[in-house]
Amino acid sequence: MAEQVPLRRRPHGEVKNAMRDYLADHGGGPASIREIKYGVRGRIGDAPESSYRSALQDERVFERVERGVFKLRG
């Protein structure tokens, strides 16, 4: 039987902070979830889709421009 690798739990806010930094580095303008995921992959590696969607629900940080497109609030 193959050995199971335990899931690594990410530090709280890691995905959200990486996405905020990515958008800030690009002037805070709108980007699709796909662009954001690609942009932060080098910083944090792969994360589940649900982690991105969950982090983007923080309306204090992100603003939904249209379906699947977000920018920094403010």
Side-chain angles (χ1 to χ4, degrees):
M1 184 153 71
E3 183 179 333
Q4 288 187 344
V5 177
L7 294 176
R8 180 181 80 85
R9 189 149 176 109
R10 294 182 176 281
H12 180 72
E14 180 183 44
V15 173
K16 181 182 1 180
N17 292 337
M19 292 190 307
R20 183 185 59 221
D21 292 346
Y22 170 78
L23 289 172
D25 290 347
H26 290 83
S32 70
I33 295 174
R34 171 181 257 161
E35 291 169 324
I36 294 168
K37 283 176 61 175
Y38 182 78
V40 302
R41 184 175 290 143
R43 299 175 193 201
I44 63 169
D46 289 323
E49 183 77 23
S50 60
S51 294
Y52 294 98
R53 294 189 186 282
S54 176
L56 287 167
Q57 290 180 19
D58 188 341
E59 294 179 348
R60 297 169 300 177
V61 179
F62 304 105
E63 180 179 339
R64 182 178 181 240
V65 176
E66 60 184 75
R67 185 176 182 198
V69 178
F70 293 83
K71 68 176 189 171
L72 289 178
R73 181 159 299 279

